[in-house]
């Protein structure tokens, strides 16, 4: 088997609060393979977003990484000089965070926002950015003419698609999606995620998918990790984690949904 794309080893992340240091992520280890959809589940506050931010060192004070390694192709991102890390962020690891649809600049046309990202990371000319943006809009099913519009002229679902399209335009090897669609209604949410899965199949990138919705996760992901209070208590193939969970907490999480789907997206 090929070496995993991303290896998280013994990652610990803390927050400094008025009451002292608080450990939000404790010695977490898991791998994400090339072309793999890895789902991270667990109740609110268990540390999922803290991990997502720590991977590309986007954690802001009072957060601090207390220990561990985040190896991308064997290279530890936690020890990479900032200049080298800039080449990894967005270019090799794309991120769609919670409430991402609000991350578009309301004062800029979408075409300009594509160009902003593409010129910064790849040195693309305006014409090259436009061509790439048209290609990406086609992929996510929005007419190219709408590149001339401003964010307010799109629905929430379309804005979310645009953020994903901008992220994919850089062809990252891994996309971190932290509750990418929670602000949307269930039908739109499902449509967008199904589209991401189609793109994943055709383009082969890896995904770290974070959500509360275990049911959805079991349908989309190849492997699942379950977190409880900052610890990864279970990790494995979607079938194994859904049909024969080892940890009592995972069993309780599954118990909260009516049926165990467990068929996964594994090829
Ligand atoms: N800036 C901060 N300062 C102090 N504590 C924080 C900060 N951000 C998060 N925490 C704490 O760290 C823990 C993990 O938070 P995190 O946001 O990673 O959880 P999560 O699993 O992503 O939750 P959710 O599903 O609600 O998004 C929580 O107890 C939270 O209160
Ligand atoms: Mg979160």
């Amino acid at each position: 088997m090929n070496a995993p794309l991303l290896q998280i080893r013994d990652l610990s992340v803390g927050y400094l609060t008025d009451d002292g240091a608080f450990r939000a992520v404790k010695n977490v280890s898991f791998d994400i393979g090339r072309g793999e959809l890895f789902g991270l589940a667990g109740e609110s506050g268990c540390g999922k977003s803290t991990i997502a931010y720590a991977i590309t060192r986007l954690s802001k004070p009072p957060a601090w990484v207390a220990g561990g390694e985040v190896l991308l192709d064997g290279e530890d991102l936690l020890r990479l000089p900032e200049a080298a890390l800039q080449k990894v962020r967005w270019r090799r690891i794309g991120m769609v965070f919670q409430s991402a649809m609000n991350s578009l600049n309301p004062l800029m046309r979408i075409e300009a926002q594509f160009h902003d990202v593409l010129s910064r990371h790849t040195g693309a000319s305006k014409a090259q950015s436009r061509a790439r943006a048209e290609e990406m809009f086609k992929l996510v099913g929005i007419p190219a003419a709408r590149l001339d519009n401003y964010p307010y002229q799109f629905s929430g679902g379309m804005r979310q698609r645009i953020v994903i399209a901008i992220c994919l335009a850089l062809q990252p090897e891994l996309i971190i999606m932290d509750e990418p669609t929670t602000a949307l209604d269930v039908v739109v949410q499902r449509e967008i995620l199904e589209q991401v899965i189609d793109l994943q199949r055709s383009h082969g990138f890896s995904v770290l998918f974070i959500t509360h919705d275990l049911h959805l996760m079991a349908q989309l992901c190849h492997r699942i990790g379950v977190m409880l209070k900052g610890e990864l208590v279970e990790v494995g193939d979607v079938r194994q984690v859904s049909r024969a969970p080892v940890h009592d907490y995972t069993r309780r999480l599954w118990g909260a949904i009516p049926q165990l789907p467990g068929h996964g997206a594994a090829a």
Side-chain angles (χ1 to χ4, degrees):
M1 207 182 111
N2 287 340
L5 176 66
L6 191 80
Q7 296 169 285
I8 295 181
R9 291 280 169 272
D10 254 338
L11 181 68
S12 291
V13 188
Y15 290 99
L16 277 177
T17 67
D18 293 341
D19 303 328
F22 157 71
R23 196 55 62 94
V25 171
K26 301 166 195 161
N27 303 96
V28 164
S29 299
F30 63 93
D31 294 346
I32 302 179
R34 280 163 226 280
E36 181 171 67
L37 284 154
F38 186 92
L40 202 53
E43 65 197 359
S44 185
C46 68
K48 304 180 299 293
S49 296
T50 303
I51 291 181
Y53 282 96
I55 289 174
T56 50
R57 280 188 10 221
L58 285 174
S59 328
K60 292 189 183 79
W64 96 100
V65 175
E69 294 177 323
V70 175
L71 305 169
L72 180 70
D73 269 333
E75 189 167 41
D76 188 2
L77 301 184
L78 300 183
R79 279 159 193 85
L80 218 53
E82 185 61 32
L85 192 65
Q86 295 282 358
K87 294 197 170 78
V88 171
R89 276 192 208 126
W90 306 112
R91 201 63 225 269
R92 297 191 64 192
I93 302 182
M95 288 152 287
V96 181
F97 287 128
Q98 278 171 307
S99 73
M101 62 190 186
N102 300 322
S103 64
L104 292 168
N105 183 335
L107 302 175
M108 276 167 81
R109 290 177 202 275
I110 301 301
E111 176 181 21
Q113 307 204 32
F114 265 99
H115 182 56
D116 193 43
V117 171
L118 288 168
S119 60
R120 189 149 21 101
H121 292 279
T122 69
S125 67
K126 267 198 169 152
Q128 286 168 331
S129 295
R130 175 76 193 196
R132 186 84 182 122
E134 286 184 4
E135 200 183 323
M136 297 316 297
F137 258 38
K138 201 167 161 200
L139 274 183
V140 296
I142 304 176
R146 304 220 44 195
L147 280 166
D148 300 328
N149 291 165
Y150 289 92
Y152 76 87
Q153 292 170 297
F154 295 91
S155 69
M158 286 170 115
R159 284 207 297 275
Q160 198 66 302
R161 281 198 169 93
I162 293 169
V163 173
I164 292 168
I166 293 176
C167 179
L168 287 174
L170 290 164
Q171 293 185 288
E173 292 152 74
L174 170 70
I175 299 189
I176 299 174
M177 303 187 87
D178 184 0
E179 305 265 18
T181 54
T182 31
L184 304 171
D185 76 65
V186 182
V187 176
V188 176
Q189 190 174 348
R190 185 166 281 275
E191 267 174 26
I192 293 181
L193 291 172
E194 280 170 358
Q195 200 165 41
V196 170
I197 302 303
D198 281 349
L199 292 170
Q200 189 276 334
R201 289 211 178 106
S202 54
H203 290 66
F205 50 82
S206 310
V207 180
L208 170 57
F209 180 52
I210 296 173
T211 179
H212 290 100
D213 189 341
L214 263 179
H215 188 82
L216 187 66
M217 189 171 276
Q219 290 187 322
L220 301 183
C221 295
H222 302 130
R223 284 195 311 131
I224 293 183
V226 177
M227 289 189 65
L228 174 63
K229 296 190 172 84
E231 289 179 53
L232 190 69
V233 293
E234 179 134 8
V235 60
D237 180 84
V238 65
R239 289 179 185 82
Q240 176 212 316
V241 175
S242 59
R243 290 185 189 157
V246 176
H247 201 279
D248 190 46
Y249 175 68
T250 316
R251 243 171 269 140
R252 276 190 279 133
L253 272 186
W254 285 120
I257 58 171
Q259 209 192 340
L260 306 185
H263 52 268

